[in-house]
Short mmCIF file of all heavy atoms in Angstrom, two decimals:
data_model
loop_
_atom_site.label_atom_id
_atom_site.label_comp_id
_atom_site.label_asym_id
_atom_site.label_seq_id
_atom_site.Cartn_x
_atom_site.Cartn_y
_atom_site.Cartn_z
N MET A 1215 76.40 33.38 72.97
CA MET A 1215 74.95 33.67 72.88
C MET A 1215 74.52 34.30 71.60
O MET A 1215 73.51 33.89 71.01
CB MET A 1215 74.45 34.55 74.05
CG MET A 1215 74.39 33.89 75.41
SD MET A 1215 73.04 32.69 75.52
CE MET A 1215 71.77 33.76 76.14
N ALA A 1219 71.99 32.48 69.05
CA ALA A 1219 70.70 33.15 68.79
C ALA A 1219 70.47 33.24 67.24
O ALA A 1219 69.33 33.43 66.83
CB ALA A 1219 70.73 34.58 69.36
N THR A 1225 67.02 29.30 71.17
CA THR A 1225 65.97 29.32 72.22
C THR A 1225 65.39 30.68 72.41
O THR A 1225 66.03 31.70 72.05
CB THR A 1225 66.52 28.81 73.57
OG1 THR A 1225 67.48 29.71 74.04
CG2 THR A 1225 67.13 27.40 73.41
N LEU A 1226 64.28 30.72 73.07
CA LEU A 1226 63.64 32.00 73.44
C LEU A 1226 64.67 32.79 74.29
O LEU A 1226 64.82 34.04 74.09
CB LEU A 1226 62.35 31.81 74.15
CG LEU A 1226 61.58 33.06 74.56
CD1 LEU A 1226 61.15 33.86 73.39
CD2 LEU A 1226 60.33 32.64 75.34
N GLY A 1227 65.29 32.16 75.20
CA GLY A 1227 66.21 32.82 76.09
C GLY A 1227 67.41 33.40 75.42
O GLY A 1227 67.81 34.57 75.67
N GLN A 1228 67.90 32.65 74.40
CA GLN A 1228 69.06 33.21 73.64
C GLN A 1228 68.67 34.42 72.83
O GLN A 1228 69.36 35.43 72.78
CB GLN A 1228 69.63 32.09 72.76
CG GLN A 1228 70.31 31.02 73.52
CD GLN A 1228 70.45 29.67 72.73
OE1 GLN A 1228 69.98 29.55 71.61
NE2 GLN A 1228 71.24 28.77 73.28
N ARG A 1229 67.48 34.29 72.17
CA ARG A 1229 67.07 35.43 71.33
C ARG A 1229 66.74 36.65 72.21
O ARG A 1229 67.06 37.78 71.83
CB ARG A 1229 65.81 35.01 70.57
CG ARG A 1229 66.19 34.01 69.43
CD ARG A 1229 65.06 33.58 68.61
NE ARG A 1229 63.88 33.11 69.47
CZ ARG A 1229 62.67 33.42 69.27
NH1 ARG A 1229 62.17 33.93 68.19
NH2 ARG A 1229 61.75 33.02 70.18
N LEU A 1230 66.15 36.46 73.43
CA LEU A 1230 65.86 37.51 74.31
C LEU A 1230 67.11 38.18 74.74
O LEU A 1230 67.31 39.41 74.76
CB LEU A 1230 65.09 37.04 75.48
CG LEU A 1230 64.84 38.01 76.63
CD1 LEU A 1230 64.10 39.29 76.17
CD2 LEU A 1230 64.14 37.35 77.80
N TYR A 1231 68.15 37.42 75.18
CA TYR A 1231 69.32 37.92 75.71
C TYR A 1231 70.07 38.82 74.70
O TYR A 1231 70.45 39.91 75.00
CB TYR A 1231 70.26 36.78 76.13
CG TYR A 1231 71.60 37.24 76.63
CD1 TYR A 1231 71.71 37.52 78.00
CD2 TYR A 1231 72.75 37.41 75.90
CE1 TYR A 1231 72.96 37.95 78.61
CE2 TYR A 1231 73.90 37.81 76.39
CZ TYR A 1231 74.04 38.10 77.75
OH TYR A 1231 75.27 38.55 78.29
N VAL A 1232 70.15 38.35 73.44
CA VAL A 1232 70.80 39.06 72.40
C VAL A 1232 70.07 40.29 72.02
O VAL A 1232 70.64 41.37 71.88
CB VAL A 1232 71.10 38.14 71.16
CG1 VAL A 1232 71.54 39.00 69.96
CG2 VAL A 1232 72.08 37.10 71.54
N ALA A 1233 68.75 40.25 71.93
CA ALA A 1233 67.96 41.44 71.64
C ALA A 1233 68.05 42.45 72.68
O ALA A 1233 68.26 43.71 72.41
CB ALA A 1233 66.45 41.03 71.42
N ARG A 1234 68.04 42.01 73.94
CA ARG A 1234 68.19 42.95 75.10
C ARG A 1234 69.54 43.60 75.12
O ARG A 1234 69.67 44.76 75.32
CB ARG A 1234 67.89 42.20 76.39
CG ARG A 1234 67.84 43.08 77.61
CD ARG A 1234 67.47 42.22 78.81
NE ARG A 1234 68.44 41.14 79.14
CZ ARG A 1234 69.60 41.43 79.69
NH1 ARG A 1234 69.99 42.67 79.95
NH2 ARG A 1234 70.44 40.39 79.91
N GLN A 1235 70.60 42.79 74.88
CA GLN A 1235 71.97 43.27 74.90
C GLN A 1235 72.16 44.35 73.73
O GLN A 1235 72.73 45.37 73.97
CB GLN A 1235 72.97 42.21 74.76
CG GLN A 1235 73.06 41.28 75.94
CD GLN A 1235 73.61 42.04 77.22
OE1 GLN A 1235 74.55 42.75 77.10
NE2 GLN A 1235 72.97 41.77 78.32
N LYS A 1236 71.63 44.03 72.56
CA LYS A 1236 71.79 44.98 71.41
C LYS A 1236 71.00 46.26 71.78
O LYS A 1236 71.51 47.36 71.35
CB LYS A 1236 71.25 44.35 70.17
CG LYS A 1236 72.17 43.29 69.56
CD LYS A 1236 71.61 42.74 68.27
CE LYS A 1236 72.52 41.74 67.65
NZ LYS A 1236 72.00 41.13 66.46
N THR A 1241 67.87 43.76 82.58
CA THR A 1241 66.73 42.77 82.67
C THR A 1241 65.50 43.54 83.30
O THR A 1241 64.41 43.21 82.97
CB THR A 1241 67.19 41.56 83.57
OG1 THR A 1241 67.68 42.03 84.74
CG2 THR A 1241 68.17 40.66 82.77
N ALA A 1244 63.80 45.57 80.60
CA ALA A 1244 63.08 44.68 79.63
C ALA A 1244 61.81 44.16 80.29
O ALA A 1244 60.76 44.18 79.61
CB ALA A 1244 63.96 43.56 79.19
N VAL A 1248 57.40 44.93 79.24
CA VAL A 1248 56.42 44.00 78.87
C VAL A 1248 55.53 43.49 80.02
O VAL A 1248 54.79 42.58 79.94
CB VAL A 1248 57.00 42.78 78.12
CG1 VAL A 1248 57.46 43.13 76.72
CG2 VAL A 1248 58.09 42.10 78.89
N LEU A 1250 56.49 42.11 82.97
CA LEU A 1250 56.94 40.86 83.63
C LEU A 1250 57.91 41.17 84.73
O LEU A 1250 58.35 42.33 84.86
CB LEU A 1250 57.60 39.97 82.55
CG LEU A 1250 56.69 39.48 81.47
CD1 LEU A 1250 57.45 38.77 80.38
CD2 LEU A 1250 55.55 38.57 81.99
N LEU A 1254 61.96 36.73 86.12
CA LEU A 1254 61.43 35.91 85.02
C LEU A 1254 62.31 36.08 83.79
O LEU A 1254 62.68 35.08 83.15
CB LEU A 1254 59.98 36.16 84.72
CG LEU A 1254 59.50 35.36 83.43
CD1 LEU A 1254 59.33 33.92 83.85
CD2 LEU A 1254 58.23 35.94 83.00
N ILE A 1255 62.63 37.29 83.45
CA ILE A 1255 63.50 37.56 82.35
C ILE A 1255 64.84 36.89 82.53
O ILE A 1255 65.30 36.17 81.64
CB ILE A 1255 63.71 39.13 82.19
CG1 ILE A 1255 62.41 39.81 81.83
CG2 ILE A 1255 64.73 39.38 81.09
CD1 ILE A 1255 61.74 39.39 80.51
N GLU A 1256 65.41 36.98 83.68
CA GLU A 1256 66.67 36.30 83.96
C GLU A 1256 66.48 34.75 83.89
O GLU A 1256 67.37 34.10 83.39
CB GLU A 1256 67.16 36.71 85.41
CG GLU A 1256 67.60 38.18 85.46
CD GLU A 1256 67.78 38.67 86.85
OE1 GLU A 1256 67.37 38.03 87.82
OE2 GLU A 1256 68.29 39.83 86.99
N ALA A 1257 65.46 34.20 84.40
CA ALA A 1257 65.25 32.81 84.31
C ALA A 1257 65.06 32.33 82.92
O ALA A 1257 65.63 31.31 82.54
CB ALA A 1257 63.95 32.44 85.13
N VAL A 1258 64.36 33.03 82.01
CA VAL A 1258 64.16 32.67 80.65
C VAL A 1258 65.55 32.69 79.92
O VAL A 1258 65.90 31.81 79.16
CB VAL A 1258 63.11 33.55 79.96
CG1 VAL A 1258 63.17 33.34 78.46
CG2 VAL A 1258 61.74 33.25 80.49
N GLU A 1259 66.32 33.75 80.23
CA GLU A 1259 67.64 33.78 79.57
C GLU A 1259 68.58 32.65 80.10
O GLU A 1259 69.48 32.28 79.39
CB GLU A 1259 68.31 35.14 79.91
CG GLU A 1259 67.58 36.31 79.13
CD GLU A 1259 68.25 37.62 79.37
OE1 GLU A 1259 69.21 37.73 80.20
OE2 GLU A 1259 67.74 38.64 78.70
N ILE A 1272 57.28 37.99 75.75
CA ILE A 1272 58.81 38.08 75.49
C ILE A 1272 58.98 38.11 73.99
O ILE A 1272 59.87 38.87 73.50
CB ILE A 1272 59.45 36.95 76.15
CG1 ILE A 1272 59.51 37.06 77.67
CG2 ILE A 1272 60.87 36.75 75.65
CD1 ILE A 1272 59.94 35.89 78.46
N LYS A 1273 58.29 37.37 73.19
CA LYS A 1273 58.39 37.31 71.78
C LYS A 1273 58.10 38.72 71.20
O LYS A 1273 58.66 39.15 70.24
CB LYS A 1273 57.54 36.26 71.15
CG LYS A 1273 58.15 34.83 71.31
CD LYS A 1273 57.13 33.80 70.83
CE LYS A 1273 57.66 32.40 71.21
NZ LYS A 1273 56.71 31.33 70.84
N LEU A 1275 58.42 41.56 72.73
CA LEU A 1275 59.55 42.37 73.12
C LEU A 1275 60.70 42.18 72.12
O LEU A 1275 61.21 43.15 71.58
CB LEU A 1275 59.96 42.16 74.56
CG LEU A 1275 61.25 42.88 74.96
CD1 LEU A 1275 61.05 44.40 74.97
CD2 LEU A 1275 61.69 42.41 76.36
N ILE A 1276 60.98 40.94 71.87
CA ILE A 1276 62.12 40.66 70.95
C ILE A 1276 61.82 41.29 69.59
O ILE A 1276 62.68 41.92 68.97
CB ILE A 1276 62.35 39.10 70.78
CG1 ILE A 1276 62.84 38.58 72.12
CG2 ILE A 1276 63.31 38.84 69.67
CD1 ILE A 1276 62.83 37.07 72.22
N LEU A 1279 62.26 45.01 69.60
CA LEU A 1279 63.64 45.39 69.62
C LEU A 1279 64.42 45.09 68.35
O LEU A 1279 65.54 45.33 68.24
CB LEU A 1279 64.32 44.71 70.80
CG LEU A 1279 63.82 45.10 72.21
CD1 LEU A 1279 64.45 44.29 73.32
CD2 LEU A 1279 64.02 46.64 72.46
#
Side-chain angles (χ1 to χ4, degrees):
M1215 283 291 270
T1225 66
L1226 180 63
Q1228 290 164 350
R1229 293 181 308 142
L1230 171 60
Y1231 181 87
V1232 171
R1234 188 177 60 74
Q1235 291 294 315
K1236 284 182 181 178
T1241 52
V1248 289
L1250 298 172
L1254 175 71
I1255 297 296
E1256 292 168 350
V1258 168
E1259 289 181 357
I1272 291 169
K1273 288 175 185 175
L1275 174 62
I1276 293 168
L1279 295 175

